[in-house]
Amino acid sequence: MRSYPISNGAKDFLSVVEAADRLAVHPSTIRRWIDSGRLPAYRVGARRLAIMETDLGKMVVSRPPLKVAEAASKYEVAIPRLTDEQRDRGLQAIQKLTELRKGLAAKYGRSPQPGWELLNASRDERSRELAGE
């Protein structure tokens, strides 16, 4: 896509693609900012949008760096230990599932396939269909 510079005297304008390149974001991000009112834009003709360089510059603001302790505490998650009751319920559930799996294997002569194997097989089959194999 070819881009033509837009200029109006002392004011320099950028296209949506040029603005996205300047900030290293996708053009849809620039359009989303325009739609939400965070970034002013100007209509140039029937379909083209232009953004003033000064308005684009206002989107870039500095942020003070977090101190190491603040950053660590911000993302730290406390995982509580299981109670004895919770641990016992979990072990019982695992035991029931193991028995169910053995029962299915006895009934059908083999153990059922894990779900992830079925999903992968169906994805592979669909890919082959789409590829025309």
Side-chain angles (χ1 to χ4, degrees), residues 51-105:
I51 297 123
M52 284 180 38
E53 275 189 292
T54 54
D55 291 334
L56 189 64
K58 292 175 187 174
M59 293 297 293
V60 180
V61 294
S62 65
R63 179 183 66 81
L66 289 175
K67 295 178 183 173
V68 175
E70 287 178 48
S73 66
K74 183 177 181 180
Y75 299 107
E76 192 173 303
V77 177
I79 300 173
R81 293 187 61 85
L82 294 176
T83 65
D84 290 340
E85 180 188 347
Q86 291 171 327
R87 188 194 69 228
D88 291 342
R89 280 189 6 228
L91 291 172
Q92 287 173 0
I94 291 172
Q95 185 177 5
K96 284 181 184 178
L97 288 172
T98 303
E99 290 169 8
L100 177 64
R101 189 174 193 81
K102 287 179 184 176
L104 289 172

